[in-house]
Every structure is written in structure tokens, then in C-alpha cells.
Amino acid sequence: MYKEDTVLSPDGKTKHTQYKLALEELLNPNDLTNKRSTELTIEYLQYLTSQDGALCWDKVAQGHADTRGCEATNDKFSESVFGVFDMMLKRCDGISREAASALAQAVRAKSFWQGDAVKRRKKQEPPPPGLGYFHTLPVQEQEALVEYARRIMRVQRGVDRADNAEVAAYVKAKVRSNSEEELQALITEWGYGLSFFERWQQRGVRLASEVSSALRVLEKEDKRKQRQDQLDWRREQVEMRTRGLRWVEFQTHWSSGSDEHIGTVEELTEHLKLIVQEERSRRAAGTLPESAPAPIMKRKTFKDLGTPTAQADALSEARTELSAAEELMAAAQRERERLEAIGEIDTVGHNGEEWAAL
């Protein structure tokens, strides 16, 4: 498979061995992590029957006999382990995660109530309820377990309260950390937006004909840099709107591995003309912003399974929005200055005076 499976290059003509690099790295690893894991990989091969490993299934019959009746965590019943854990959390209100995990392990491995797990897995006739592991113990041991559970119940509830308080504190800290990170990301994006908005005011093209005028200026440059300058100019003009004016509906890709046309001078030219036409309509309607709008950060949303907890709601807000409060604007201005100082953005830009003269 590694030698025969091929894939066509984006031009649809040249064939490449799909797994060639993976195979070379597998046999002669260059990556430091892969080198370090080679010995561990060889050790794991001992568990493979296909490699006649010393610890493979066929050579550890006694181990399998000793664990008969226990379900492996990665077998077809693995999801039921999480189901039992969830059931314990709901049935035993206030139970700690540690205690619920212990109960789930006991239920799945020992089958207190459900009977012989091996018979169920092999689709044999299951034993009737009440023949689980607990009911195979002597009566004295059954009574001792029940009495032990009754006596430590109150003490264990105190332990569970402490455990749950620790989990709640972690969730609260996680929410605060996520909010702080998102706020900083929004401030950084606003810093970029302030820079692009100012560029749009100074040298943003207003008509489609101005695109051709800008090209004539670029043609005077060194031929070796001409095409790259054209791309950079178009990208900047697009970002003046998508980041400076927050017209996110006009965001586009700068390149694509599957489509060579995406990100080219021609494609960006048509995209920019579309934006300029929309800008002309909004200018006529008087809806252009007078200052750089604050960004809105959207999170990924997923379909809810069951009823979300309060912690889940706090962690999965649909979006975070910045207001134009003075302190946030000041933070965005400071962030813009920092980005310019480290060279991430350049308000003047390449040939800025020439663009402004168009």
C-alpha cells in the first residue's frame, strides 16, 4: 500500500506516492520525537501476534484466564463504561468524580447486578438479575459491605463535597482563563483593525478604475517584484475592509492547495472590485463607519447532547463582544503600537506615499 497508493498533484498530471514520506520516516526517522519512540515501538511489537511477539495473545493464555469475566476498556462495550459513570453521577447526587469512577469500575468489572459479562459478550443466555458478583459472596461478606457503606456514608459525603468544590474551582478558573485569552485576542485583532482602518482612510481605493491606476504605479517597479507587489497591494486593500471595517463577509483565502486560481492577482482583482462596488453603495447610503468597529469573536458551536450543566453553559457562550469602552479602546491602541514596534504591521506600508497619491 505504501509503495502503490498514489495521488495526483494539483495540476492533475503528476503522480506522487501518497505515503512515501511517511514510509521513509517510519523506516529511518529524522524527527527527534520519532527517534525517541523507536525503542518503545519495538517493545509494543511484542504484543502483536502477527510479529510473533513474546506477549502476544497466543502466548499469554494464563493471563486471559485470570481476567475472564472482565471487559476490556477498548472493546465494543467501552461506551457503556462512560454510560455507567454518568449514571453514577446522576443517581448519587453530590458524589465525587473519584467515587463515581470507583463505582463504575466495580459495576463494569465485577458486574454487581448484571451477571456474567462473558456470557453477555458471547451472546449466550444471560443469567437472571440478582446473580451478579455481589450475590456470589457469602452472606456475611454481603452484610459487611452494606454495613461498611452505611457507616462511612457521612464521612464520604464530606470528602465528596471537598472534591466537588475543587472541580468547581477548576471550572471557574478555566472560564476566567478562557475569557482573558479571548479578550486579549479581541484586543489584538482590534489593534490590527485600527491600523487597517487608518490605511483605508488614507489610501483605500474608492472606484474600480483606481485599481488599474495602482497597477500602472506597480509596473514602474522592478519586474522581479512586480507580481508580488500586486498581490501585497490587493491583500492590503481587502484587509482594509475585512479587518479595518469588519466586513467579515468578504474574507477570502490567499491560497489553496486544491485550486491554483485562488489567491492569484486575477482572482483578487475581481474580489476587490466586488468589495469596492459594495463600498460605493454603502457610501451612498451613508452607512460607512466613522471609526474602526470593535471585532466579534465567534466560537465553534456543537449540538447539545442532553441537558447542559451550568458549567457547560459558562464554557460555551456563542460569542464574546467588545464594546467601545474607553479602556478597551486604549488597550487596542497600545496593542497596535506594540504590533508596529515588533514589525507585525506597518501603517505606512510599501510605497505608501505613492498609494496615497493615486
Side-chain angles (χ1 to χ4, degrees):
M1 181 186 71
Y2 282 112
K3 295 180 179 179
E4 295 177 0
D5 282 10
T6 58
V7 62
L8 288 176
S9 61
D11 61 11
K13 300 178 181 179
T14 308
K15 285 187 176 181
H16 300 279
T17 304
Q18 188 170 0
Y19 301 105
K20 181 179 180 181
L21 295 179
L23 179 61
E24 291 176 353
E25 182 65 20
L26 180 66
L27 299 178
N28 300 293
N30 294 314
D31 181 80
L32 182 59
T33 301
N34 292 341
K35 288 182 179 180
R36 291 175 176 173
S37 63
T38 300
E39 294 183 3
L40 186 61
T41 302
I42 295 174
E43 179 182 341
Y44 284 163
L45 292 177
Q46 298 181 71
Y47 294 91
L48 297 182
T49 302
S50 61
Q51 304 299 318
D52 194 28
L55 301 176
C56 69
W57 180 278
D58 294 339
K59 297 185 179 181
V60 288
Q62 185 59 46
H64 292 291
D66 294 341
T67 57
R68 183 170 297 164
C70 296
E71 294 180 0
T73 57
N74 63 344
D75 66 6
K76 65 180 181 180
F77 297 110
S78 60
E79 290 187 7
S80 68
V81 176
F82 296 98
V84 172
F85 177 77
D86 184 62
M87 178 183 69
M88 293 302 166
L89 288 176
K90 294 179 178 178
R91 177 178 293 178
C92 308
D93 188 30
I95 190 174
S96 68
R97 275 66 179 169
E98 183 179 5
S101 176
L103 283 178
Q105 174 69 14
V107 170
R108 299 309 298 154
K110 298 297 185 181
S111 298
F112 275 179
W113 183 256
Q114 298 175 355
D116 194 334
V118 174
K119 289 185 178 181
R120 292 200 315 279
R121 184 163 62 240
K122 294 184 178 180
K123 297 183 179 181
Q124 298 177 8
E125 186 67 25
L131 292 182
Y133 175 78
F134 175 81
H135 298 280
T136 64
L137 298 174
V139 176
Q140 294 85 349
E141 290 190 24
Q142 294 182 23
E143 293 176 352
L145 284 174
V146 173
E147 181 64 16
Y148 174 75
R150 187 186 69 81
R151 292 191 177 190
I152 69 167
M153 180 176 59
R154 291 189 177 182
V155 176
Q156 188 59 44
R157 283 179 177 173
V159 174
D160 292 346
R161 280 195 297 271
D163 289 347
N164 284 323
E166 184 177 352
V167 172
Y170 167 78
V171 172
K172 186 177 180 180
K174 186 67 174 177
V175 171
R176 183 170 61 252
S177 176
N178 288 348
S179 298
E180 292 173 351
E181 291 177 0
E182 289 185 0
L183 179 61
Q184 183 57 48
L186 289 178
I187 290 175
T188 299
E189 180 58 29
W190 203 358
Y192 279 108
L194 292 173
S195 174
F196 281 111
F197 183 83
E198 184 176 308
R199 298 185 218 180
W200 171 74
Q201 290 179 315
Q202 294 175 353
R203 55 179 186 270
V205 292
R206 299 292 185 264
L207 300 171
S209 59
E210 294 184 21
V211 176
S212 300
S213 299
L215 288 177
R216 286 194 293 271
V217 173
L218 287 169
E219 289 174 354
K220 298 177 183 179
E221 297 290 324
D222 189 334
K223 295 295 184 181
R224 293 172 299 177
K225 300 192 303 178
Q226 180 178 332
R227 189 170 184 82
Q228 186 59 48
D229 285 346
Q230 292 177 4
L231 285 173
D232 293 342
W233 182 81
R234 281 161 177 73
R235 290 175 181 177
E236 183 186 38
Q237 290 290 330
V238 171
E239 288 190 304
M240 287 177 187
R241 281 77 177 181
T242 59
R243 304 180 77 174
L245 303 180
R246 307 310 309 169
W247 292 355
V248 295
E249 65 271 24
F250 290 104
Q251 288 179 342
T252 185
H253 296 286
W254 305 130
S255 63
S256 173
S258 58
D259 189 345
E260 295 181 350
H261 179 65
I262 293 179
T264 61
V265 170
E266 294 75 16
E267 191 266 341
L268 288 179
T269 299
E270 295 302 318
H271 187 65
L272 180 56
K273 288 181 178 179
L274 178 65
I275 296 176
V276 170
Q277 291 175 359
E278 176 64 21
E279 181 181 333
R280 186 177 182 182
S281 300
R282 297 190 187 188
R283 179 176 287 105
T287 58
L288 290 177
E290 297 181 358
S291 60
I296 296 175
M297 183 75 71
K298 293 185 177 181
R299 299 175 179 170
K300 284 186 177 181
T301 56
F302 301 93
K303 184 178 180 180
D304 290 336
L305 298 178
T307 304
T309 63
Q311 293 89 342
D313 287 334
L315 285 170
S316 59
E317 295 177 352
R319 66 182 186 179
T320 300
E321 184 173 351
L322 285 182
S323 65
E326 293 182 2
E327 59 272 16
L328 292 179
M329 174 61 79
Q333 290 284 11
R334 291 193 297 270
E335 182 65 12
R336 172 189 173 181
E337 294 173 0
R338 185 188 71 83
L339 292 170
E340 289 187 346
I342 63 176
E344 288 291 327
I345 56 177
D346 183 1
T347 301
V348 177
H350 182 63
N351 288 339
E353 295 181 355
E354 294 187 39
W355 302 144
L358 290 177

